[in-house]
Amino acid sequence: MLMRTDPFRELDRLAQHLMGPGTWSRPSAMPMDAYRDGDQYVIAFDLPGIDPDALDIDVERNMLTVRAERRPLPRSESAQTELSERPLGVFSRQLVLADTLDTERICADYEAGVLTLRIPIAERAKPRKISVRSTGERQELDG
């Protein structure tokens, strides 16, 4: 038998229970981190217990949509639930990506319950040096 000792965790569990599991028409949110690492933008989503086949990632124009579904683990008919805190159902997150990102080259990896998307910074958005010519060079080229 398991004992509960954290009253705040119980409140979180109760709120999740009252809101019900996420559905395709009303999905639950998923936690994420986003940061720039050199010439790429990295987005990491916490999705523990999700089968990689249950992940759906789409990009339409600049809208990135990530959906995942967590189903209950199979149990025998004689199993009795003592505690159920793991959220089930559909999880979704939509992000508007900047025009400075190359959405044609997004890479997705899923390891240890974390979905990581790596989006390269577009070449046109990278800083570049502009050479300055003197007026004498310009006259020679034009003349």
Side-chain angles (χ1 to χ4, degrees):
M1 177 146 130
L2 300 174
M3 301 297 291
R4 297 184 197 162
T5 58
D6 184 358
F8 297 108
R9 176 170 285 166
E10 182 63 18
L11 286 173
D12 288 342
R13 186 194 67 75
L14 182 60
Q16 180 69 29
H17 179 71
L18 290 174
M19 292 180 356
T23 63
W24 283 103
S25 61
R26 192 187 55 127
S28 298
M30 63 181 79
M32 64 170 245
D33 289 336
Y35 56 92
R36 183 172 176 167
D37 184 11
D39 286 344
Q40 65 182 353
Y41 198 71
V42 181
I43 306 170
F45 299 92
D46 275 352
L47 295 167
I50 303 288
D51 188 300
D53 293 334
L55 294 171
D56 184 33
I57 305 166
D58 291 315
V59 176
E60 186 175 336
R61 296 188 189 137
N62 286 11
M63 179 67 72
L64 172 73
T65 303
V66 177
R67 286 185 185 260
E69 184 174 7
R70 183 184 299 130
R71 296 182 179 188
L73 296 173
R75 299 184 230 181
S76 69
E77 289 184 22
S78 63
Q80 292 181 322
T81 301
E82 293 285 329
L83 181 63
S84 179
E85 292 183 346
R86 299 175 65 233
L88 301 174
V90 178
F91 304 87
S92 180
R93 196 77 184 246
Q94 284 191 313
L95 303 170
V96 177
L97 301 177
D99 291 332
T100 58
L101 299 176
D102 186 353
T103 59
E104 298 293 321
R105 299 187 314 150
I106 295 175
C107 294
D109 297 305
Y110 183 68
E111 185 177 341
V114 178
L115 172 65
T116 304
L117 303 180
R118 297 181 191 288
I119 310 169
I121 305 295
E123 287 299 320
R124 68 183 181 280
K126 293 180 183 175
R128 59 193 177 280
K129 292 283 185 186
I130 307 292
S131 62
V132 178
R133 299 184 301 196
S134 70
T135 55
E137 289 177 24
R138 193 168 131 222
Q139 289 175 353
E140 288 175 12
L141 292 175
D142 292 339

